[in-house]
Amino acid sequence: MFASGLKPTMDSFNTVLRFLTNQKTTIGYGVMAIATIGSERIFSLFSFQCPCNTQQNFAYGMTYLLGPALVLLTIGLFLSTSLWRLYTGCCLNPMKLCPRGNCIGCISILLRVLVGALVPPIMWLSVALLNGTFYECAVSGLEDKVIVDLFCKHRNNTCKEELAKVPCKTSNLPVAETTELLLMLKAQSQILGWVIIITSVLAGLIGTCYKNCRSQVSYLQLTFWKVYMQKEKDKFDSFAEDYATRLAERNMKSFFENQDPEAFPFPNHTAWEQISSVYTFSNSEQYYSTLQKYVEGPNRDYSSDKTPLQMEHSLE
Protein backbone atom coordinates (compact mmCIF):
# COMPACT_ATOMS: atom_id res chain seq x y z
CA MET A 1 0.00 0.00 0.00
CA PHE A 2 2.89 2.30 0.79
CA ALA A 3 4.45 1.53 -2.62
CA SER A 4 1.18 2.31 -4.45
CA GLY A 5 0.94 5.67 -2.68
CA LEU A 6 4.58 6.45 -3.47
CA LYS A 7 4.23 5.79 -7.22
CA PRO A 8 2.18 8.94 -8.07
CA THR A 9 4.64 11.02 -6.05
CA MET A 10 7.61 9.59 -7.95
CA ASP A 11 5.81 10.12 -11.27
CA SER A 12 5.18 13.76 -10.36
CA PHE A 13 8.79 14.18 -9.30
CA ASN A 14 10.04 12.67 -12.57
CA THR A 15 7.72 14.97 -14.53
CA VAL A 16 9.07 18.04 -12.73
CA LEU A 17 12.65 16.84 -13.17
CA ARG A 18 12.11 16.21 -16.88
CA PHE A 19 10.58 19.67 -17.30
CA LEU A 20 13.53 21.31 -15.54
CA THR A 21 15.96 19.34 -17.69
CA ASN A 22 14.22 20.37 -20.90
CA GLN A 23 14.08 24.01 -19.82
CA LYS A 24 17.60 24.23 -18.41
CA THR A 25 18.67 26.83 -20.99
CA THR A 26 15.78 29.10 -20.07
CA ILE A 27 16.38 28.51 -16.37
CA GLY A 28 20.07 29.24 -16.85
CA TYR A 29 19.32 32.58 -18.51
CA GLY A 30 16.87 33.39 -15.71
CA VAL A 31 19.47 32.66 -13.04
CA MET A 32 21.99 34.69 -15.01
CA ALA A 33 19.61 37.65 -15.17
CA ILE A 34 18.92 37.48 -11.42
CA ALA A 35 22.65 37.28 -10.68
CA THR A 36 23.31 40.24 -12.99
CA ILE A 37 20.67 42.38 -11.29
CA GLY A 38 21.97 41.43 -7.86
CA SER A 39 25.58 42.17 -8.80
CA GLU A 40 24.65 45.55 -10.24
CA ARG A 41 22.77 46.51 -7.09
CA ILE A 42 25.69 45.45 -4.90
CA PHE A 43 28.13 47.50 -6.99
CA SER A 44 25.82 50.52 -6.91
CA LEU A 45 25.18 50.44 -3.17
CA PHE A 46 28.46 49.28 -1.65
CA SER A 47 31.28 49.81 -4.16
CA PHE A 48 30.46 52.64 -6.54
CA GLN A 49 31.26 56.14 -5.30
CA CYS A 50 31.23 58.76 -8.06
CA PRO A 51 34.14 61.21 -7.52
CA CYS A 52 31.97 64.07 -8.84
CA ASN A 53 34.73 66.05 -10.55
CA THR A 54 35.31 66.76 -14.20
CA GLN A 55 38.68 64.98 -14.36
CA GLN A 56 37.52 61.59 -13.05
CA ASN A 57 33.78 61.18 -13.57
CA PHE A 58 33.88 59.84 -17.12
CA ALA A 59 36.72 57.34 -16.57
CA TYR A 60 35.24 56.12 -13.27
CA GLY A 61 31.70 55.74 -14.58
CA MET A 62 32.74 53.99 -17.80
CA THR A 63 34.99 51.62 -15.86
CA TYR A 64 32.03 50.40 -13.80
CA LEU A 65 29.78 50.32 -16.87
CA LEU A 66 32.09 48.51 -19.29
CA GLY A 67 34.57 46.75 -16.97
CA PRO A 68 32.21 44.01 -15.70
CA ALA A 69 30.86 43.55 -19.24
CA LEU A 70 34.39 42.89 -20.52
CA VAL A 71 35.05 40.45 -17.66
CA LEU A 72 31.79 38.58 -18.39
CA LEU A 73 32.67 38.41 -22.10
CA THR A 74 36.09 36.96 -21.26
CA ILE A 75 34.57 34.38 -18.91
CA GLY A 76 32.00 33.43 -21.56
CA LEU A 77 34.74 32.83 -24.13
CA PHE A 78 36.87 30.98 -21.58
CA LEU A 79 34.02 28.58 -20.75
CA SER A 80 33.13 27.87 -24.39
CA THR A 81 33.82 24.23 -25.24
CA SER A 82 33.38 24.84 -28.97
CA LEU A 83 36.04 27.57 -28.96
CA TRP A 84 38.63 25.35 -27.31
CA ARG A 85 37.79 22.39 -29.54
CA LEU A 86 38.42 24.63 -32.53
CA TYR A 87 41.48 26.40 -31.15
CA THR A 88 43.42 23.64 -29.35
CA GLY A 89 46.47 22.61 -31.34
CA CYS A 90 46.19 25.40 -33.94
CA CYS A 91 49.67 26.72 -33.15
CA LEU A 92 51.11 23.35 -34.21
CA ASN A 93 48.66 22.77 -37.04
CA PRO A 94 46.97 25.99 -38.33
CA MET A 95 44.93 23.94 -40.82
CA LYS A 96 42.78 22.75 -37.90
CA LEU A 97 40.99 26.09 -38.04
CA CYS A 98 39.88 25.49 -41.62
CA PRO A 99 39.92 21.74 -42.30
CA ARG A 100 39.76 21.00 -46.04
CA GLY A 101 39.60 24.76 -46.67
CA ASN A 102 36.23 25.06 -44.93
CA CYS A 103 36.78 28.58 -43.57
CA ILE A 104 33.04 29.34 -43.64
CA GLY A 105 32.42 26.59 -41.10
CA CYS A 106 35.16 27.97 -38.87
CA ILE A 107 33.74 31.51 -39.07
CA SER A 108 30.21 30.28 -38.30
CA ILE A 109 31.47 28.45 -35.20
CA LEU A 110 33.34 31.55 -34.03
CA LEU A 111 30.21 33.65 -34.55
CA ARG A 112 28.10 31.20 -32.50
CA VAL A 113 30.70 31.27 -29.74
CA LEU A 114 30.81 35.08 -29.77
CA VAL A 115 27.01 35.39 -29.73
CA GLY A 116 26.76 33.01 -26.79
CA ALA A 117 29.50 34.87 -24.90
CA LEU A 118 27.80 38.24 -25.53
CA VAL A 119 24.64 37.32 -23.60
CA PRO A 120 25.99 38.06 -20.06
CA PRO A 121 27.66 41.40 -21.07
CA ILE A 122 24.47 42.57 -22.77
CA MET A 123 22.49 41.67 -19.65
CA TRP A 124 24.92 43.66 -17.52
CA LEU A 125 24.84 46.73 -19.79
CA SER A 126 21.04 46.62 -19.96
CA VAL A 127 20.60 46.39 -16.19
CA ALA A 128 23.28 49.01 -15.47
CA LEU A 129 21.81 51.48 -17.97
CA LEU A 130 18.26 50.96 -16.75
CA ASN A 131 19.45 51.79 -13.24
CA GLY A 132 21.36 54.82 -14.54
CA THR A 133 23.88 55.31 -11.72
CA PHE A 134 27.03 54.59 -13.74
CA TYR A 135 25.83 56.54 -16.78
CA GLU A 136 24.98 59.60 -14.69
CA CYS A 137 28.48 59.73 -13.28
CA ALA A 138 30.21 59.15 -16.62
CA VAL A 139 28.28 61.64 -18.76
CA SER A 140 28.22 64.40 -16.15
CA GLY A 141 32.01 64.53 -16.33
CA LEU A 142 32.20 65.14 -20.08
CA GLU A 143 33.44 68.55 -21.15
CA ASP A 144 32.29 68.19 -24.73
CA LYS A 145 30.44 71.33 -25.81
CA VAL A 146 27.56 69.39 -27.35
CA ILE A 147 26.96 67.40 -24.15
CA VAL A 148 27.25 70.43 -21.87
CA ASP A 149 24.96 72.53 -24.06
CA LEU A 150 22.42 69.71 -24.12
CA PHE A 151 22.04 69.72 -20.34
CA CYS A 152 22.74 73.38 -19.60
CA LYS A 153 20.76 74.92 -22.43
CA HIS A 154 18.88 78.03 -21.25
CA ARG A 155 20.71 77.87 -17.92
CA ASN A 156 23.39 80.10 -16.43
CA ASN A 157 27.13 79.39 -16.52
CA THR A 158 26.98 77.83 -13.06
CA CYS A 159 25.34 74.77 -14.60
CA LYS A 160 28.38 74.09 -16.79
CA GLU A 161 30.72 74.38 -13.83
CA GLU A 162 28.60 72.33 -11.44
CA LEU A 163 27.35 69.60 -13.79
CA ALA A 164 29.97 67.09 -12.60
CA LYS A 165 28.71 67.43 -9.00
CA VAL A 166 25.09 66.73 -9.88
CA PRO A 167 25.26 62.90 -9.34
CA CYS A 168 26.41 63.49 -5.75
CA LYS A 169 23.80 66.21 -5.19
CA THR A 170 26.54 68.51 -3.88
CA SER A 171 26.31 71.17 -6.59
CA ASN A 172 25.52 74.81 -5.92
CA LEU A 173 22.57 74.63 -8.27
CA PRO A 174 19.02 74.95 -6.94
CA VAL A 175 17.45 71.70 -5.80
CA ALA A 176 14.88 71.82 -8.60
CA GLU A 177 17.58 72.16 -11.28
CA THR A 178 19.66 69.38 -9.74
CA THR A 179 16.64 67.07 -9.72
CA GLU A 180 15.82 67.98 -13.32
CA LEU A 181 19.37 67.28 -14.49
CA LEU A 182 19.39 63.94 -12.70
CA LEU A 183 16.12 62.99 -14.36
CA MET A 184 17.54 63.92 -17.76
CA LEU A 185 20.65 61.80 -17.18
CA LYS A 186 18.60 58.84 -15.93
CA ALA A 187 16.17 59.14 -18.85
CA GLN A 188 19.02 59.04 -21.39
CA SER A 189 20.56 56.04 -19.62
CA GLN A 190 17.29 54.12 -19.59
CA ILE A 191 16.63 54.91 -23.25
CA LEU A 192 20.05 53.49 -24.14
CA GLY A 193 19.30 50.43 -22.01
CA TRP A 194 16.02 49.77 -23.82
CA VAL A 195 17.73 50.34 -27.19
CA ILE A 196 20.27 47.63 -26.32
CA ILE A 197 17.52 45.25 -25.15
CA ILE A 198 15.32 45.79 -28.20
CA THR A 199 18.26 45.58 -30.61
CA SER A 200 19.50 42.35 -28.98
CA VAL A 201 16.04 40.75 -29.07
CA LEU A 202 15.49 41.68 -32.71
CA ALA A 203 18.99 40.51 -33.67
CA GLY A 204 18.37 37.21 -31.87
CA LEU A 205 15.01 36.74 -33.59
CA ILE A 206 16.40 37.55 -37.05
CA GLY A 207 19.44 35.33 -36.46
CA THR A 208 17.30 32.42 -35.30
CA CYS A 209 14.93 32.81 -38.27
CA TYR A 210 17.87 32.92 -40.69
CA LYS A 211 19.54 29.91 -39.06
CA ASN A 212 16.34 27.83 -39.19
CA CYS A 213 15.65 28.94 -42.75
CA ARG A 214 19.12 27.81 -43.82
CA SER A 215 18.92 24.56 -41.84
CA GLN A 216 19.62 21.44 -43.88
CA VAL A 217 17.42 19.31 -41.62
CA SER A 218 13.83 19.50 -40.46
CA TYR A 219 12.82 20.97 -37.10
CA LEU A 220 12.23 17.57 -35.48
CA GLN A 221 15.53 16.18 -36.75
CA LEU A 222 17.28 19.31 -35.49
CA THR A 223 15.64 18.76 -32.10
CA PHE A 224 16.82 15.15 -32.10
CA TRP A 225 20.33 16.32 -33.04
CA LYS A 226 20.46 18.69 -30.05
CA VAL A 227 19.20 15.97 -27.70
CA TYR A 228 21.75 13.51 -29.08
CA MET A 229 24.66 15.95 -28.68
CA GLN A 230 23.73 16.57 -25.05
CA LYS A 231 23.39 12.85 -24.34
CA GLU A 232 26.70 12.12 -26.06
CA LYS A 233 28.41 14.79 -23.96
CA ASP A 234 26.93 13.37 -20.75
CA LYS A 235 27.96 9.83 -21.68
CA PHE A 236 31.45 10.96 -22.72
CA ASP A 237 31.96 12.64 -19.34
CA SER A 238 30.77 9.49 -17.59
CA PHE A 239 32.97 7.17 -19.68
CA ALA A 240 35.96 9.50 -19.35
CA GLU A 241 35.67 9.52 -15.58
CA ASP A 242 35.27 5.73 -15.46
CA TYR A 243 38.21 5.01 -17.78
CA ALA A 244 40.42 7.61 -16.09
CA THR A 245 39.68 5.99 -12.72
CA ARG A 246 40.46 2.52 -14.05
CA LEU A 247 43.68 3.72 -15.71
CA ALA A 248 44.78 5.45 -12.51
CA GLU A 249 44.02 2.32 -10.45
CA ARG A 250 45.93 0.14 -12.94
CA ASN A 251 48.97 2.45 -12.82
CA MET A 252 48.89 2.65 -9.01
CA LYS A 253 48.62 -1.14 -8.77
CA SER A 254 51.54 -1.61 -11.16
CA PHE A 255 53.68 0.88 -9.22
CA PHE A 256 52.99 -0.31 -5.68
CA GLU A 257 53.05 -4.03 -6.55
CA ASN A 258 56.23 -3.55 -8.59
CA GLN A 259 55.02 -5.47 -11.62
CA ASP A 260 54.32 -4.87 -15.30
CA PRO A 261 51.03 -3.06 -15.95
CA GLU A 262 48.10 -4.97 -17.34
CA ALA A 263 47.08 -4.38 -20.95
CA PHE A 264 44.76 -1.40 -21.15
CA PRO A 265 43.01 -0.52 -24.44
CA PHE A 266 43.24 3.18 -25.16
CA PRO A 267 42.42 5.26 -28.28
CA ASN A 268 45.46 6.41 -30.21
CA HIS A 269 46.43 10.02 -30.87
CA THR A 270 44.89 10.09 -34.35
CA ALA A 271 41.54 8.91 -33.00
CA TRP A 272 41.52 11.66 -30.36
CA GLU A 273 42.31 14.24 -33.04
CA GLN A 274 39.47 13.05 -35.28
CA ILE A 275 36.76 13.04 -32.61
CA SER A 276 37.89 16.41 -31.21
CA SER A 277 37.22 18.37 -34.39
CA VAL A 278 34.01 20.42 -34.58
CA TYR A 279 31.41 18.64 -36.71
CA THR A 280 29.37 20.41 -39.37
CA PHE A 281 26.31 18.60 -40.69
CA SER A 282 26.25 17.44 -44.30
CA ASN A 283 23.35 15.98 -46.27
CA SER A 284 25.71 13.43 -47.79
CA GLU A 285 26.58 12.01 -44.35
CA GLN A 286 23.99 10.77 -41.88
CA TYR A 287 26.04 11.52 -38.78
CA TYR A 288 25.28 13.69 -35.77
CA SER A 289 28.78 14.15 -34.35
CA THR A 290 32.44 13.58 -35.11
CA LEU A 291 32.41 10.67 -32.66
CA GLN A 292 29.65 8.89 -34.58
CA LYS A 293 31.41 9.68 -37.85
CA TYR A 294 34.62 8.14 -36.55
CA VAL A 295 32.94 5.05 -35.07
CA GLU A 296 30.96 4.30 -38.23
CA GLY A 297 33.71 5.36 -40.63
CA PRO A 298 35.25 2.62 -42.81
CA ASN A 299 38.85 3.82 -42.32
CA ARG A 300 38.86 4.10 -38.55
CA ASP A 301 42.02 3.07 -36.72
CA TYR A 302 41.43 1.11 -33.52
CA SER A 303 45.12 0.45 -32.80
CA SER A 304 45.90 1.33 -29.19
CA ASP A 305 48.67 3.60 -27.95
CA LYS A 306 51.00 1.87 -25.52
CA THR A 307 51.56 5.19 -23.77
CA PRO A 308 48.55 7.49 -24.11
CA LEU A 309 50.54 10.74 -23.87
CA GLN A 310 53.55 9.67 -25.94
CA MET A 311 52.68 12.03 -28.77
CA GLU A 312 52.09 14.91 -26.37
CA HIS A 313 55.51 14.46 -24.74
CA SER A 314 57.21 14.32 -28.12
CA LEU A 315 55.77 17.72 -29.01
CA GLU A 316 57.15 19.46 -25.90
Side-chain angles (χ1 to χ4, degrees):
M1 185 172 182
F2 176 77
S4 61
L6 185 62
K7 188 176 184 301
T9 303
M10 292 302 298
D11 291 342
S12 300
F13 176 77
N14 291 332
T15 301
V16 173
L17 184 62
R18 189 161 50 249
F19 172 79
L20 294 177
T21 303
N22 294 335
Q23 301 297 323
K24 62 182 178 180
T25 301
T26 303
I27 295 173
Y29 283 138
V31 172
M32 191 186 303
I34 294 173
T36 302
I37 295 173
S39 301
E40 194 277 335
R41 294 307 300 164
I42 292 174
F43 277 150
S44 299
L45 295 175
F46 300 106
S47 176
F48 184 79
Q49 296 291 332
C50 185
C52 290
N53 63 70
T54 308
Q55 290 75 27
Q56 297 179 342
N57 273 22
F58 181 75
Y60 190 80
M62 293 305 290
T63 298
Y64 269 82
L65 186 63
L66 300 180
L70 181 60
V71 171
L72 290 172
L73 176 62
T74 304
I75 294 175
L77 293 174
F78 184 78
L79 296 178
S80 174
T81 304
S82 297
L83 178 63
W84 295 120
R85 290 186 69 171
L86 185 68
Y87 180 75
T88 301
C90 288
C91 291
L92 299 176
N93 183 16
M95 285 302 296
K96 287 187 66 176
L97 282 175
C98 301
R100 302 175 184 175
N102 185 22
C103 293
I104 296 179
C106 172
I107 294 174
S108 65
I109 292 170
L110 290 176
L111 285 176
R112 287 202 301 269
V113 169
L114 183 60
V115 169
L118 280 174
V119 173
I122 289 176
M123 284 186 177
W124 169 265
L125 288 175
S126 301
V127 172
L129 288 171
L130 288 176
N131 185 40
T133 305
F134 306 145
Y135 181 88
E136 292 170 7
C137 181
V139 175
S140 64
L142 290 175
E143 296 183 291
D144 186 85
K145 186 177 184 303
V146 176
I147 299 296
V148 175
D149 289 345
L150 176 65
F151 290 101
C152 295
K153 189 177 182 180
H154 305 307
R155 304 180 194 272
N156 54 35
N157 292 330
T158 306
C159 173
K160 299 178 181 180
E161 299 171 359
E162 299 292 320
L163 183 60
K165 299 180 181 180
V166 167
C168 298
K169 298 181 181 179
T170 58
S171 67
N172 295 323
L173 295 172
V175 176
E177 287 192 18
T178 300
T179 303
E180 184 179 350
L181 289 172
L182 280 174
L183 289 175
M184 290 177 63
L185 288 167
K186 185 178 289 291
Q188 286 188 359
S189 179
Q190 291 177 340
I191 289 173
L192 285 176
W194 278 111
V195 167
I196 290 177
I197 293 173
I198 294 172
T199 302
S200 302
V201 170
L202 290 177
L205 176 61
I206 294 173
T208 303
C209 291
Y210 177 79
K211 177 183 176 181
N212 288 344
C213 181
R214 297 281 298 176
S215 176
Q216 301 182 53
V217 298
S218 65
Y219 176 78
L220 291 179
Q221 189 177 7
L222 186 62
T223 302
F224 174 82
W225 188 3
K226 292 177 181 178
V227 172
Y228 170 80
M229 291 299 296
Q230 183 60 45
K231 294 297 183 181
E232 182 183 272
K233 179 182 180 302
D234 295 340
K235 289 295 182 181
F236 181 87
D237 292 341
S238 176
F239 269 70
E241 182 176 358
D242 178 56
Y243 270 75
T245 301
R246 288 164 53 190
L247 180 60
E249 291 175 348
R250 170 255 205 183
N251 293 340
M252 290 298 102
K253 181 179 180 181
S254 173
F255 175 77
F256 282 103
E257 295 182 0
N258 195 25
Q259 61 183 10
D260 292 334
E262 301 173 357
F264 192 89
F266 203 85
N268 58 39
H269 183 77
T270 302
W272 283 109
E273 283 289 314
Q274 291 185 10
I275 70 165
S276 296
S277 60
V278 181
Y279 180 68
T280 52
F281 186 84
S282 173
N283 283 329
S284 60
E285 300 174 336
Q286 191 64 26
Y287 304 126
Y288 292 100
S289 69
T290 50
L291 179 61
Q292 183 186 5
K293 182 178 180 180
Y294 173 79
V295 171
E296 298 185 8
N299 299 321
R300 61 187 181 276
D301 181 9
Y302 279 139
S303 61
S304 177
D305 281 344
K306 294 182 180 180
T307 54
L309 297 182
Q310 181 178 7
M311 180 66 71
E312 188 73 17
H313 292 317
S314 67
L315 294 174
E316 292 180 350

